Amino acid sequence: EVRLMESGGGLVQAGESLRLSCVASGFVFDDYGMGWYRQAPGQENERDVISCISDEQKYYADSVKGRFTISSDDPKNTIYLQMNSLKPEDTAVYFCAPSVVYGGQCWSSEIVAGSWGQGTQVTVSS
């Protein structure tokens, strides 16, 4: 069973930073890329991909390029998202998921269906 545990969210002011962590289990971590997704207020059942990592490939959505950095600690089955220069529009619940990175795009793997974690809330005040 895929298990995903996100942490590190919080309430910060615009311009500040946060570092999110995601610990994954229930699948062979090295066989999959991993990604971060977010669900903004009012976007029920819709998660936007933010950043993904697979081997040496990294993907960033245009909205976070230059501000967010994804990294992975494979022995710990953990990925991180360093978020700098946070903006109010970054306010969302952030999720991680095994992902596919291909052709300059990224999407969640089918193995995460029904197994999304609780996410971690990030709130950025202006």
Side-chain angles (χ1 to χ4, degrees):
E1 180 183 2
V2 172
R3 291 185 182 271
L4 302 159
M5 184 173 295
E6 304 91 350
S7 62
L11 171 62
V12 297
Q13 293 188 331
E16 295 185 337
S17 300
L18 282 173
R19 188 191 192 210
L20 306 185
S21 299
C22 164
V23 180
S25 63
F27 61 98
V28 181
F29 191 80
D30 290 347
D31 285 351
Y32 292 85
M34 288 292 294
W36 285 99
Y37 301 77
R38 69 186 181 189
Q39 186 172 36
Q43 287 189 302
E44 300 302 324
N45 299 317
E46 180 181 343
R47 300 182 185 92
D48 296 326
V49 60
I50 295 303
S51 181
C52 296
I53 185 169
S54 178
D55 295 325
E56 299 302 318
Q57 298 183 77
K58 294 183 180 180
Y59 166 89
Y60 294 98
D62 288 343
S63 59
V64 305
K65 279 181 182 176
R67 300 189 298 122
F68 291 10
T69 302
I70 191 170
S71 60
S72 177
D73 187 342
D74 290 357
K76 294 183 179 180
N77 285 12
T78 300
I79 63 168
Y80 305 95
L81 187 67
Q82 178 65 43
M83 306 188 296
N84 298 330
S85 303
L86 282 161
K87 303 175 180 180
E89 51 263 44
D90 294 319
T91 294
V93 180
Y94 285 70
F95 301 86
C96 63
S99 302
V100 178
V101 182
Y102 181 78
Q105 299 296 318
C106 172
W107 59 90
S108 59
S109 169
E110 69 276 3
I111 69 167
V112 76
S115 298
W116 290 85
Q118 294 298 306
T120 186
Q121 175 71 50
V122 172
T123 303
V124 185
S125 63
S126 57

